[in-house]
Amino acid sequence: MFNDKKQSSSVFSRALIGATLCCAATLPVKTLAADAAKKAATTNVAATQFAVSGKFNRDTVTDIARQLAKKPYKAPEAKLPESLEDLNYDQYRDIRFNPSSALWTNENVPFQLQMFHRGFYYKDPVEIAVIEDGQAKHLSYSSSMFKTGEVMKGPLPKEDIGFAGFRIHSPINRDDYFDELAVFQGASYLRSLGKNQSYGLSSRGLALKTADPEGEEFPVFRAYWIEKPVADSRSIVVYALLDSPSTTGAYRFTIRPGTNTVMDVEATLFPRVDLTKVGLAAGTSMFMFSSYDRDQVDDFRPRVHDSDGLLMLNGRGEHLWRPLLNHDKLNISSFLDNGPLGFGLVQRDRNFDHYQDLEAHYEKRPSLWVEPVGNWGKGMVKLIEIPSDSEIHDNIVAYWSPADVIPAKTEYSFAYRLVWGEWPTPAPSEGIVTATRNGRADISGPTPERLFVIDYEFPNALTTSGLNKPTAKVKNQGGKVKNIVVRENPKTGGYRVSFELDPEDADLVELRMDLQFDDNRKAESWMYQWSK
């Protein structure tokens, strides 16, 4: 289901792409849209329906989405010129952006904009406009923005075919170089990173029917409007129009680069039908194996994953840590909550020695933390783990699923914050899970009983020396738990908890462990799903 998306991660990191602004006179919106549609009817030009030149304000995209929802869904015209129709990965990657054409490259602003070319998996046209002084100017495609090498033999089109997305650059690692900061490309996918990091997991504007037997629906960002930043800007604002058979939507992203890159997201959905299987603030990642999940692994590397756990801060203020797994079968876990305070897919292990990959550098992959704004009410954090035999596939999805149906012909507004980077940082007195391990419980020979070993550390505490050890409470659904032991770990300054699990006749056992202290300290609740 996610094969296409993950293979494109190499395109994100290695293709050289960009854009330049083609200025046009400001004409009435209806005139521009009609002319574009007429031209597109006889050529391969992408019709400009949404990101047209004209007046723009904060409500423009919301108004477009509201009106679009009143009409039956119509898929974007994906026809490409013959030279672009059947590109393979290497050919698409060989369409390189001309760096000198980056938008705002010769202006004193802390951001630059570059475009992605259409082709390969990215055939749908994406419209783009740039906002300045309350006016939007449509950004037209030009072949002069791109150049090709020896692999891409076909000519680039001369007509305006639109784009496949864009990326934002900003000097986050050093002042004299514009690093790649964020990418908007493919359906409603976006990705970002913090200082000194490499791209890893993605977010999505909206997830619909994920892991549904009838098939997943992928809403698409059909058009973007980007505000031109001023010289001393610390943020850049992106508007996006979402469309799918089930709903339209208007999104506003305020992006602030830094050690952790922060995105404030405001969104309103306009459903065409009742939305029953909705994923808000979805994160999509990859997990192949780790120290606790190496069954039948044939790989020289100790670990391979973009994220190693799902972290949740529920409405009761509890921190929950669930290590990710690469199951043999599709696995869906639901964590009921009321008014979630945060959740996200986290890359907690930052030690290169634990990965040993000089190319992928998984220790540099960002975590993605979601902070709901306001009370999201009743629902659940859903974790979907899809079997995978290759790291090129994204096989992990986590999102918030509201308990109530979002009715057709209504307006549903919500807001949240995305934090890309090392965050969240635990409080000084808070313990976090730093390692999960398991193996057979009897060293003398094979046994169905399992030994679990979990390490806790207090990374921001001055010391835990002299403090009383906690007690561990293990709850289980299925099987039998015994021999729970808590001991100090002198190598880490934290605690090591071990216990044995006898699965008995169970094929699946849900486990939860909590540490209880006699002082004011707290620790994450460890959760795990063992399967036969």
Side-chain angles (χ1 to χ4, degrees), residues 294-336:
R294 290 188 59 88
D295 291 348
Q296 301 179 356
V297 169
D298 185 16
D299 198 298
F300 78 94
R301 297 166 295 181
R303 306 176 185 214
V304 172
H305 49 70
D306 285 339
S307 308
D308 53 8
L310 170 66
L311 180 63
M312 294 167 279
L313 176 57
N314 64 22
R316 296 184 298 277
E318 298 174 320
H319 282 94
L320 310 174
W321 175 258
R322 164 69 151 74
L324 299 178
L325 292 164
N326 186 358
H327 295 269
D328 292 334
K329 299 178 182 178
L330 175 67
N331 188 73
I332 301 176
S333 301
S334 299
F335 305 91
L336 297 176

Side-chain angles (χ1 to χ4, degrees), residues 226-434:
I226 302 103
E227 288 186 359
K228 181 181 178 180
V230 297
D232 58 350
S233 295
R234 294 188 177 182
S235 64
I236 185 169
V237 176
V238 175
Y239 295 84
L241 173 68
L242 182 129
D243 192 20
S244 82
S246 296
T247 188
T248 68
Y251 286 70
R252 185 178 190 267
F253 300 87
T254 303
I255 305 169
R256 298 178 177 88
T259 301
N260 297 302
T261 293
V262 177
M263 296 184 181
D264 290 326
V265 187
E266 304 164 62
T268 301
L269 301 179
F270 301 89
R272 291 186 170 101
V273 300
D274 290 348
L275 301 181
T276 59
K277 299 174 181 178
V278 183
L280 306 183
T284 301
S285 192
M286 179 276 294
F287 180 91
M288 276 295 295
F289 57 86
S290 189
S291 58
Y292 54 86
D293 186 33
R294 290 188 59 88
D295 291 348
Q296 301 179 356
V297 169
D298 185 16
D299 198 298
F300 78 94
R301 297 166 295 181
R303 306 176 185 214
V304 172
H305 49 70
D306 285 339
S307 308
D308 53 8
L310 170 66
L311 180 63
M312 294 167 279
L313 176 57
N314 64 22
R316 296 184 298 277
E318 298 174 320
H319 282 94
L320 310 174
W321 175 258
R322 164 69 151 74
L324 299 178
L325 292 164
N326 186 358
H327 295 269
D328 292 334
K329 299 178 182 178
L330 175 67
N331 188 73
I332 301 176
S333 301
S334 299
F335 305 91
L336 297 176
D337 200 3
N338 189 351
L341 301 178
F343 65 92
L345 295 169
V346 172
Q347 185 76 317
R348 179 163 281 176
D349 193 326
R350 298 293 178 184
N351 190 333
F352 168 79
D353 291 340
H354 295 172
Y355 299 94
Q356 290 293 332
D357 195 321
L358 290 171
E359 295 183 0
H361 282 290
Y362 288 112
E363 76 279 2
K364 294 183 179 182
R365 303 299 169 101
S367 299
L368 175 58
W369 182 246
V370 179
E371 283 188 344
V373 174
N375 189 341
W376 279 12
K378 293 182 179 180
M380 63 192 75
V381 174
K382 277 202 168 184
L383 173 65
I384 299 172
E385 296 163 306
I386 303 166
S388 178
D389 59 3
S390 173
E391 64 200 89
I392 69 171
H393 301 157
D394 271 351
N395 63 321
I396 303 294
V397 187
Y399 55 78
W400 175 255
S401 179
D404 296 331
V405 172
I406 303 177
K409 303 184 186 306
T410 62
E411 299 186 10
Y412 183 87
S413 296
F414 58 102
Y416 56 98
R417 170 169 287 182
L418 298 175
V419 184
W420 308 78
E422 301 279 349
W423 213 75
T425 302
S429 60
E430 183 182 7
I432 65 171
V433 178
T434 56

Side-chain angles (χ1 to χ4, degrees), residues 12-13 15-19 97 99 102-104 109-116 166-172 177-183 193 199 229 236 255 257:
F12 286 134
S13 61
L16 297 177
I17 48 184
F97 172 71
L103 200 61
W104 312 316
V109 295
F111 297 93
Q112 294 179 1
L113 204 64
Q114 303 183 2
M115 303 297 141
F116 287 99
F166 67 96
R167 64 184 185 181
I168 301 169
H169 290 237
S170 186
I172 60 174
Y177 185 80
F178 279 71
D179 305 281
E180 192 166 328
L181 170 69
V183 165
L193 72 179
Y199 281 136
I236 185 169
I255 305 169

Side-chain angles (χ1 to χ4, degrees), residues 21-25 137-138:
L21 178 61
C22 298
C23 298
K137 289 186 178 180
H138 174 68

